[in-house]
Amino acid sequence: MAHYLVTGGAGFIGSHLCEELTRRGERVRVVDSLITGKRANLAHVPNVEFIEGDLADFSVATRAVKGIDYVLHQAAIPSVPRSVEDPITSNRANIDASLNLLVAARDAGVKRVVYAGSSSAYGNSPTMPKVETMPTAPLSPYALQKLVAEQYCQMFTRLYSLETVTIRYFNVFGPRQDPSSPYSGVISLFIRALCEGRQPTIYGDGEQTRDFTYVANVVDGVLRACLAKDASGEVINVATNGRVSLNQLFASLRDLIGAAVEPIYASPRAGDVRDSQADISKAARLLGYTPLVTFDQGLRNTVEWYRASTESATAGRT
Ligand code: UD1
């Protein structure tokens, strides 16, 4: 049994990692500031040790990594528009905290750090799909911060022989993604609006595309990255290699939910990437990764989860 630290373990992706690790019989510790995470996300996961604290405080990072074999670094303040509005707060969470964690992990003799990187690093580079060897072109503070922490990981591998792997995520979605903030991921926002019979907003013409990735695929990729032999120091895309426009996404969800509403079109968002699709051959080669769940199946699972969770919340109130 290995001992895993999941930073941001009370968040959307982090809680799925904890669930799978526990299911596999591993030992799990979580550190989470609860700025965006929620204790409720872990309510169904048994035997998780929980540290409430902010990794931007170095003493929290030191405490969190003590006795740990593998660190899965998910803690971050996500969202492109949030970082455009408040770059200082997101910089602290996405860069300062990551550096603290790397130093603490190095000093504690952690075996490997697997870092949650972002597809936003590619910006609007014209070639599709995005290959890891392409030059990066961050368009927002969020994209830049994720890239800086990714480069810190690689530097720590070179300078201090701390094993690190960056997994670049591509628009992850699934159960427990929180739709309650204007900064939430688009799929969670659309599902909630359509289930409530409201019109979702599409920023721009809706022809921008994303490689929307169901969360179980990311969990599989990240856990493979902990043990993969030749992965240390590498940056690896984990996604589906698909490409869906916002207009297509809206149409699929409208059919699935059965809502007779039209979207509202608004101006494009500052810092928004136009098209995003991953080449996943490196993940196949180094991690033995292939997507487990398709986009369509993932959408169905997520809608089902949303319906079940709102029904149980309503039943709880009556
Ligand atoms: C970006 C990253 C993603 C990362 C996320 C963290 C890229 C390609 N992707 O996602 O890997 O996980 O940041 O926050 O850079 N939109 C609407 N209506 C809405 C909300 C969003 O039309 O109500 C549009 C956005 O303008 C965007 C798309 O939907 O074009 C996706 O937005 P969002 O879900 O916020 O994720 P990204 O910013 O693409």
Side-chain angles (χ1 to χ4, degrees):
M1 196 198 333
H3 200 173
Y4 287 76
L5 171 68
V6 183
T7 76
F12 157 50
I13 301 172
S15 66
H16 282 275
L17 284 165
C18 293
E19 192 179 309
E20 180 58 18
L21 285 168
T22 307
R23 199 188 62 75
R24 294 183 187 187
E26 306 290 3
R27 229 174 124 192
V28 181
R29 179 186 297 158
V30 161
V31 59
D32 200 301
S33 65
L34 299 180
I35 293 172
T36 58
K38 288 186 291 211
R39 284 298 284 258
N41 282 337
L42 289 171
H44 65 296
V45 188
N47 303 324
V48 170
E49 182 195 350
F50 191 87
I51 298 176
E52 183 176 341
D54 190 340
L55 292 166
D57 172 352
F58 187 68
S59 66
V60 172
T62 314
R63 192 152 69 93
V65 296
K66 204 158 176 249
I68 289 293
D69 297 307
Y70 300 102
V71 173
L72 310 183
H73 182 31
Q74 312 301 307
I77 294 194
S79 170
V80 167
R82 184 186 300 194
S83 77
V84 171
E85 274 156 39
D86 182 5
I88 293 178
T89 302
S90 61
N91 194 86
R92 185 167 179 271
N94 297 341
I95 299 185
D96 296 354
S98 298
L99 179 58
N100 284 346
L101 183 71
L102 285 169
V103 171
R106 178 199 66 187
D107 295 348
V110 162
K111 288 187 181 138
R112 190 172 276 187
V113 175
V114 180
Y115 171 63
S118 170
S119 62
S120 55
Y122 295 108
N124 278 335
S125 58
T127 320
M128 207 71 67
K130 309 294 186 190
V131 184
E132 294 87 343
T133 47
M134 280 178 183
T136 51
L139 296 177
S140 63
Y142 172 78
L144 180 63
Q145 292 154 11
K146 280 273 149 184
L147 184 59
V148 168
E150 169 185 312
Q151 293 187 352
Y152 260 129
C153 287
Q154 292 188 299
M155 181 171 287
F156 268 62
T157 301
R158 285 194 299 268
L159 272 183
Y160 308 114
S161 303
L162 171 67
E163 291 200 2
T164 67
V165 183
T166 292
I167 300 297
R168 282 193 184 153
Y169 296 172
F170 282 68
N171 291 74
V172 186
F173 72 99
R176 294 200 292 280
Q177 190 168 30
D178 181 7
S180 67
S181 143
Y183 301 125
S184 300
V186 66
I187 293 186
S188 68
L189 290 172
F190 279 15
I191 291 177
R192 185 164 81 161
L194 289 168
C195 286
E196 292 173 356
R198 287 184 292 107
Q199 292 175 276
T201 303
I202 292 184
Y203 297 114
D205 62 5
E207 287 305 303
Q208 67 267 48
T209 56
R210 294 292 183 271
D211 190 343
F212 291 110
T213 307
Y214 188 65
V215 64
N217 297 324
V218 167
V219 167
D220 182 54
V222 167
L223 297 185
R224 285 170 179 274
C226 292
L227 304 174
K229 223 163 36 72
D230 299 317
S232 178
E234 298 291 338
V235 172
I236 306 170
N237 294 336
V238 164
T240 66
N241 184 232
R243 203 171 145 198
V244 174
S245 74
L246 269 274
N247 289 326
Q248 286 169 321
L249 169 69
F250 173 79
S252 301
L253 284 173
R254 188 172 53 181
D255 284 355
L256 211 55
I257 293 166
V261 296
E262 293 299 326
I264 298 166
Y265 286 89
S267 316
R269 266 184 355 192
D272 213 32
V273 165
R274 182 70 185 172
D275 294 303
S276 178
Q277 179 187 18
D279 181 299
I280 52 174
S281 49
K282 187 172 179 181
R285 197 171 68 250
L286 291 185
L287 307 179
Y289 164 85
T290 46
L292 299 171
V293 181
T294 61
F295 168 71
D296 289 329
Q297 184 59 51
L299 272 193
R300 285 194 291 275
N301 295 354
T302 310
V303 168
E304 243 170 62
W305 168 81
Y306 183 81
R307 284 186 161 141
S309 67
T310 46
E311 269 161 29
S312 66
T314 315
R317 278 199 297 274
T318 52

